[in-house]
């Protein structure tokens, strides 16, 4: 399922029109290769959330191009018919809070996206269990989300984001509620999974303790992205 | 695909069960209300069934003997008996009153039955204990709901009666249990005045020069006698011979005897369509109110449950859940709540019905209709919650 990462060119987003129009994104250019984890950093109001929503096909950009793997998904308009299926099959999400479905056990939380895509329950659960094992939470497969620690919940959320093998994962401050040790562990997992599944991962963060782990960082300020060449700045996890 | 609704219910089963229990009590009350109406209809039909009559001959232009008072002479039956198509006739009186039993009163319908034998119109068709009335006076057969036992003594007006038999499900159209006594006693009880009233009436008669004319010396005595004697009954019950149409026999009696005659269908129309029509409307209003209250409760509960899951719904939408899957989840939960409520309601109504003072008849078809109504109400009630869920923006799951 993995492809050629994600490429964004000249992406813009304008809210409103006329005198009240606000340009939340003015010029966004990003390239994330398969197996790469990049950071997206910016102050409040810089356009991070808007960019994440555009990348996640939750809101429609106003201009620009988005290419996911080999497929142009946006070019002055959506190029895919079923946005919901695009989100389900091509984009994985990991949130600041894990947002697991409280009434499903760990296995079914992870197995839900493939089930929604029409995969048979047994097959979906097998995929989920394999991922849980890769993330070292297979022993909590039957537990309910409320019975997990914060770190375990975040690993389960990562497994849910990965289960459909999307070419890109958007991680929205995934380490915010975690201490340093657990935060670094989560970033290590994301790096491992990116390499293992050839997935491009964009991590939106304010977290000072994980910023040095990124080999490449995009800064966003006033709706414009700037790439920071961070070769040699990242430390081994 | 797993059942999201089922998992959510299992996860928060306490919330669903307790809400369903509360809703169930409401549904139980609704079923009881329907049962009360059915009981009233059944009481009316039982009264007609147990009378053993095909026709009711009553005073002209009245709706007697149950819906209106009716008085006809107690010898009318002789002429009716000789009409073509008439198998058997019997005089009958009905009087609703408080019957004294020890230190308590029992509201009963006293039915005066003509001398004869079981099977005659007006007689209780079967007994559960004791025997039928065999003497001409001061014996009674009572419905078991009166609380009387064989050998008990009861007091009607000034006379004491011994209960010689007990019957079952012999009730008036109001649900009052019946007490059968000999016709003559019942006629007396209907019009018997107290001694002071009789003396006062005789004094007035004696002072009236019309009744004390020298040329008619026996007139006063005859008048006094006629005023203490009751030659009326409320109705003549008629059984029609096989092969004769009750309608034709009724027309014949009406034409020749100048009385009003009702067939079984006419009587049902009077009892159900007129006597309990107001009560039925009242119950209908209650049913409508209870349905609206139930709908409001289900809507509120489901809406509240849905609002409590906004973030989860946003996440579900973000990871690609179809709107119809989310709508289906809410709909299934609403229906599940209704089903739990209905089961609780049906059980509580079944066990609670015998405790009600009036007969409550829980018809299986009413329960089936109630179930369908509950499901429809739940479906309609879930619409608000579904609309709220479908409005949830998946962006809510993404920060900022």
């Amino acid at each position: 399922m993995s492809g050629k990462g994600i490429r964004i060119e000249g992406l813009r987003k304008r809210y409103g029109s006329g005198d009240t129009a606000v340009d939340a994104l003015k010029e966004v250019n990003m390239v994330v290769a398969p197996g790469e984890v990049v950071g997206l950093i910016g102050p409040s109001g810089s356009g991070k959330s808007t960019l994440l929503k555009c990348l996640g096909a939750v809101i429609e950009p106003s201009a620009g191009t988005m290419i996911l793997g080999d497929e142009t998904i946006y070019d002055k308009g959506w190029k895919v018919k079923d946005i919901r299926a695009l989100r389900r099959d091509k984009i994985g999400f990991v949130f600041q809070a894990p947002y697991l479905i409280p009434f499903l056990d760990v296995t079914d939380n992870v197995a839900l996206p493939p089930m929604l895509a029409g995969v048979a329950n047994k097959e979906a659960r097998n995929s989920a269990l394999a991922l849980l094992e890769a993330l070292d939470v297979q022993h909590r497969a039957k537990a309910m989300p409320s019975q997990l620690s914060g770190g375990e919940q975040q690993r389960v959320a990562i497994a849910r984001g990965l289960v459909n093998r999307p070419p890109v994962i958007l991680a929205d401050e995934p380490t915010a509620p975690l201490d340093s040790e657990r935060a670094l562990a989560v970033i290590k997992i994301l790096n491992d999974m990116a390499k293992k599944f050839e997935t491009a991962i964009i991590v939106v963060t304010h977290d000072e303790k994980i910023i040095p782990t990124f080999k490449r960082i995009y800064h966003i300020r006033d709706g414009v992205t700037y790439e920071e060449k961070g070769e040699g700045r990242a430390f081994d996890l | 695909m797993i059942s999201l609704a089922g998992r959510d219910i299992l996860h928060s089963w306490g919330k669903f069960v307790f809400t369903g229990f509360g809703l169930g009590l409401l549904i139980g009350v609704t079923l009881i209300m329907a049962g009360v109406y059915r009981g009233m209809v059944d009481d009316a039909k039982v009264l007609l069934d147990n009378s053993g009559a095909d026709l009711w001959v009553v005073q002209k232009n009245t709706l007697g003997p149950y819906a209106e008072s009716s008085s006809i002479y107690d010898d009318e039956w002789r002429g009716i008996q000789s009409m073509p198509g008439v198998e058997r006739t019997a005089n009958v009186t009905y009087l609703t009153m408080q019957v004294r039993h020890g230190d308590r009163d029992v509201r009963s319908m006293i039915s005066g039955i003509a001398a004869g034998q079981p099977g005659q119109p007006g007689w209780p068709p079967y007994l559960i204990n004791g025997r039928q009335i065999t003497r001409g006076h001061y014996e009674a057969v009572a419905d078991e709901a009166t609380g009387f036992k064989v050998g008990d003594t009861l007091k009607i007006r000034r006379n004491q009666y011994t209960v010689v038999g007990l019957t079952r499900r012999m009730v008036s159209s109001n649900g009052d249990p019946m007490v059968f006594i000999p016709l003559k006693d019942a006629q007396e009880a209907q019009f018997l005045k107290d001694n002071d009233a009789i003396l006062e009436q005789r004094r007035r008669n004696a002072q009236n020069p019309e009744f004390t004319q020298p040329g008619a010396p026996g007139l006063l005595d005859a008048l006094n006698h006629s005023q203490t004697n009751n030659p009326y009954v409320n109705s003549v019950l008629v059984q029609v011979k096989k092969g004769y149409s009750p309608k034709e026999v009724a027309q014949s009696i009406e034409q020749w005897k100048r009385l009003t005659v009702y067939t079984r269908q006419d009587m049902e129309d009077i009892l159900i369509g007129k006597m309990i029509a107001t009560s039925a409307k009242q119950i209908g209003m209650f049913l409508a109110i209870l349905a609206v209250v139930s709908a409001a409760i289900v809507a509120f509960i489901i809406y509240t449950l849905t609002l409590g899951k906004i973030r989860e719904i946003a996440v579900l939408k973000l990871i690609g859940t179809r709107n119809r899957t989310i709508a289906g989840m809410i709909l299934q939960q609403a229906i599940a709540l209704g089903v739990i409520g209905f089961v609780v309601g049906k059980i509580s109504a079944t066990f609670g019905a015998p405790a009600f003072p009036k007969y409550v008849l829980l018809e299986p078809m009413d329960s089936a209709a109630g179930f369908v109504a509950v499901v429809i109400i739940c479906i309609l009630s879930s619409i608000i919650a579904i609309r709220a869920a479908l409005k949830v923006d998946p962006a809510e799951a993404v920060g900022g």
Side-chain angles (χ1 to χ4, degrees):
Chain A
M1 289 287 287
S2 60
K4 296 176 180 170
I6 185 167
R7 173 183 290 274
I8 298 142
E9 291 171 359
L11 198 73
R12 294 175 185 197
K13 174 64 184 175
R14 169 174 286 190
Y15 289 111
S17 59
D19 294 342
T20 58
V22 175
D23 288 316
L25 299 178
K26 292 171 184 163
E27 182 69 25
V28 173
N29 296 293
M30 286 179 86
V31 178
V32 186
E36 188 183 17
V37 179
V38 300
L40 178 63
I41 299 165
S44 291
S46 61
K48 289 195 307 291
S49 293
T50 301
L51 176 56
L52 208 60
K53 287 172 187 172
C54 288
L55 296 179
V58 177
I59 58 173
E60 186 173 354
S62 306
T65 308
M66 288 200 292
I67 302 163
L68 201 58
D70 295 326
E71 188 182 6
T72 301
I73 60 167
Y74 185 85
D75 186 5
K76 294 170 191 161
W78 291 114
K79 297 296 170 191
V80 286
K81 274 187 180 174
D82 191 347
I83 298 294
R84 191 182 53 248
L86 170 75
R87 284 204 301 265
R88 185 186 65 210
D89 301 332
K90 301 280 176 69
I91 303 165
F93 294 93
V94 178
F95 310 107
Q96 179 175 338
Y99 296 145
L100 299 176
I101 307 299
F103 49 83
L104 298 180
D105 66 19
V106 164
T107 308
D108 283 342
N109 255 289
V110 179
L112 188 59
M115 285 177 183
L116 292 170
V119 176
N121 287 3
K122 192 176 176 185
E123 199 181 324
R125 286 197 178 106
N126 286 339
S127 302
L129 287 169
L131 264 175
L132 290 172
E133 193 171 353
L135 289 160
D136 200 25
V137 275
Q138 75 278 17
H139 60 291
R140 308 309 306 269
K142 290 290 165 201
M144 299 304 284
S146 59
Q147 297 168 316
L148 304 180
S149 68
E152 286 172 332
Q153 286 188 23
Q154 200 57 293
R155 275 184 281 169
V156 173
I158 292 169
R160 182 177 64 187
L162 283 164
V163 70
N164 274 344
R165 303 287 189 271
V168 64
I169 284 186
L170 305 174
D172 182 15
E173 305 205 29
T175 60
L178 304 176
D179 58 34
S180 295
E181 193 181 337
R182 284 181 181 161
L184 291 172
V186 166
I187 293 301
K188 183 177 185 324
I189 288 167
L190 288 174
N191 273 287
D192 292 347
M193 293 298 123
K195 282 177 191 134
K196 187 171 180 179
F197 299 114
E198 290 280 287
T199 306
I201 298 180
I202 299 170
V203 179
V204 176
T205 188
H206 278 118
D207 194 346
E208 295 290 337
K209 54 190 176 286
I210 65 163
I211 290 173
T213 68
F214 299 116
K215 289 183 178 156
R216 224 150 52 81
I217 291 172
Y218 282 96
H219 290 274
I220 183 166
R221 188 180 296 274
D222 298 330
V224 180
T225 50
Y226 308 93
E227 185 184 352
E228 179 186 338
K229 303 283 185 187
E231 285 295 336
R233 64 187 291 288
F235 62 84
D236 286 336
L237 290 161
Chain B
M1 181 64 193
I2 52 176
S3 165
L4 294 175
R7 295 299 184 86
D8 192 18
I9 291 169
L10 285 176
H11 180 250
S12 46
W13 64 269
K15 202 184 292 179
F16 274 87
V17 167
F18 285 115
T19 307
F21 188 78
L23 181 65
L25 294 180
L26 204 60
I27 292 170
V29 172
T30 310
L31 290 175
I32 292 275
M33 293 294 284
V36 167
Y37 171 71
R38 292 291 180 202
M40 288 164 69
V41 171
D42 195 66
D43 283 348
K45 286 184 175 173
V46 158
L47 175 65
L48 301 181
D49 287 340
N50 291 341
S51 69
D54 298 315
L55 300 174
W56 284 257
V57 182
V58 299
Q59 183 182 337
K60 194 167 186 180
N61 297 330
T62 69
L63 294 173
Y66 309 116
E68 286 180 4
S69 64
S70 152
S71 287
I72 57 176
Y73 280 106
D74 60 6
D75 57 359
E76 289 279 10
W77 68 273
R78 294 178 195 278
I80 296 167
Q81 180 70 62
S82 62
M83 306 269 309
V86 173
E87 175 76 42
R88 282 202 283 193
T89 56
N91 283 329
V92 70
T93 64
Y94 297 107
L95 170 66
T96 299
M97 63 180 294
Q98 303 292 122
V99 174
R100 197 82 188 147
H101 178 227
D103 56 354
R104 70 187 176 98
D105 281 341
V106 180
R107 185 158 186 83
S108 310
M109 185 163 91
I110 309 297
S111 176
I113 50 173
Q117 51 196 327
Q120 182 160 309
W123 278 59
Y126 63 92
L127 299 180
I128 57 168
N129 198 5
R131 60 169 175 80
Q132 293 279 9
I133 295 169
T134 54
R135 291 170 57 194
H137 292 284
Y138 312 126
E139 283 189 345
V141 168
D143 185 273
E144 63 171 346
T146 55
F148 296 134
K149 295 191 169 46
V150 173
D152 279 359
T153 301
L154 56 93
K155 191 175 179 187
I156 298 171
R157 299 279 192 238
R158 281 183 301 205
N159 298 323
Q160 305 272 350
Y161 294 80
T162 304
V163 178
V164 296
L166 292 177
T167 185
R168 180 175 285 162
R169 243 355 241 132
M170 297 292 296
V171 291
S172 73
S173 57
N174 287 329
D176 299 324
M178 292 175 79
V179 174
F180 297 87
I181 60 173
L183 182 71
K184 285 290 171 197
D185 291 352
Q187 282 178 291
E188 188 185 345
Q190 257 187 337
F191 295 100
L192 186 63
K193 293 173 182 157
D194 59 83
N195 288 342
D196 290 338
I198 292 169
L199 283 172
E200 174 63 14
Q201 191 174 46
R202 286 180 180 172
R203 189 185 64 78
R204 285 169 182 250
N205 288 344
Q207 285 178 348
N208 189 332
E210 293 278 321
F211 304 139
T212 52
Q213 292 175 19
L219 180 61
L220 184 60
D221 286 342
L223 178 68
N224 285 338
H225 181 259
S226 72
Q227 285 179 339
T228 51
N229 198 26
N230 172 22
Y232 297 103
V233 291
N234 299 127
S235 175
V236 175
L237 304 179
V238 176
Q239 283 178 349
V240 175
K241 279 181 183 166
K242 277 185 185 168
Y244 282 83
S245 156
K247 215 161 199 170
E248 285 172 10
V249 175
Q251 280 172 350
S252 172
I253 296 171
E254 278 189 335
Q255 186 179 350
W256 293 105
K257 304 303 292 182
R258 296 180 180 275
L259 296 167
T260 294
V261 185
Y262 294 112
T263 62
R264 163 72 195 232
Q265 188 55 51
D266 296 333
M267 266 298 162
E268 271 193 26
D269 292 344
I270 290 169
L271 288 176
I272 297 165
K274 291 187 168 65
M275 277 191 79
I276 62 173
T278 309
S279 302
K281 281 179 195 161
Q282 184 99 332
I283 288 170
M285 283 295 291
F286 272 114
L287 285 176
I289 291 166
L290 286 169
V292 171
V293 171
S294 302
I297 288 175
V298 174
F300 178 74
I301 297 292
I302 293 294
Y303 185 67
T304 309
L305 288 173
T306 304
L307 287 189
K309 288 196 290 266
I310 289 295
R311 181 70 82 167
E312 284 81 7
I313 289 169
V315 172
L316 284 170
K317 283 186 160 187
L318 192 67
I319 63 175
T321 308
R322 290 172 193 277
N323 278 344
R324 69 163 180 254
T325 306
I326 292 166
M329 176 177 82
I330 295 166
L331 186 65
Q332 286 168 39
Q333 288 183 339
I335 292 173
L337 200 58
V339 170
I340 294 170
F342 183 80
V343 170
V344 172
K346 177 69 182 152
I347 291 170
S348 59
T350 303
F351 285 97
F356 281 74
K358 287 195 86 167
Y359 181 54
V360 178
L361 178 61
L362 299 171
E363 294 268 27
M365 282 311 293
D366 285 348
S367 298
F371 180 74
V372 172
V374 166
V375 170
I376 291 171
I377 285 171
C378 287
I379 290 170
L380 294 176
S381 305
S382 66
I383 289 173
I384 302 167
I386 288 172
R387 281 172 60 94
L390 296 186
K391 278 184 188 167
V392 173
D393 187 350
E396 287 187 34
V398 182

